[in-house]
Amino acid sequence: MLAAGSARLVLETPLDPDSVGAEALKRHGSALSVIAFRVADAADAVRSIVARGGRAVSAPRRYGGGAASVRLADIAPPGPGLVTPPVDPRGARLWP
């Protein structure tokens, strides 16, 4: 992990050459994969992004419990072709 002010960058390398991550790396090369923001209300943030032309890929969901829990939602920027859903090695899409 690299720190840049309050931002944290996590560098990832696929451990399995047949994994979804390895296939994405082969097809697209190195790229920024995920950007995370701390917001007060994840559902409200998703609604705001969708109102500005973004696409909700998944509804906000909770991971963990108590003080260690987080709510995550997957969103895509406006415009065609900017986000490619990951595909497992058998060709099945992993999310809509």
Side-chain angles (χ1 to χ4, degrees):
M1 179 169 58
L2 303 172
S6 63
R8 302 292 180 264
L9 303 173
V10 178
L11 306 177
E12 298 182 12
T13 298
L15 298 177
D16 178 351
D18 297 322
S19 69
V20 172
E23 182 58 33
L25 187 60
K26 288 178 212 168
R27 285 190 306 178
H28 305 289
S30 297
L32 179 63
S33 175
V34 175
I35 300 173
F37 297 95
R38 182 175 293 177
V39 297
D41 183 329
D44 187 51
V46 170
R47 282 190 294 274
S48 177
I49 290 166
V50 169
R52 291 176 171 87
R55 290 184 292 120
V57 178
S58 72
R61 59 209 179 276
R62 183 172 299 283
Y63 287 96
S69 71
V70 296
R71 287 182 56 89
L72 302 174
D74 299 306
I75 56 170
L82 294 176
V83 174
T84 304
V87 176
D88 76 14
R90 295 169 303 280
R93 287 174 56 144
L94 298 177
W95 44 265

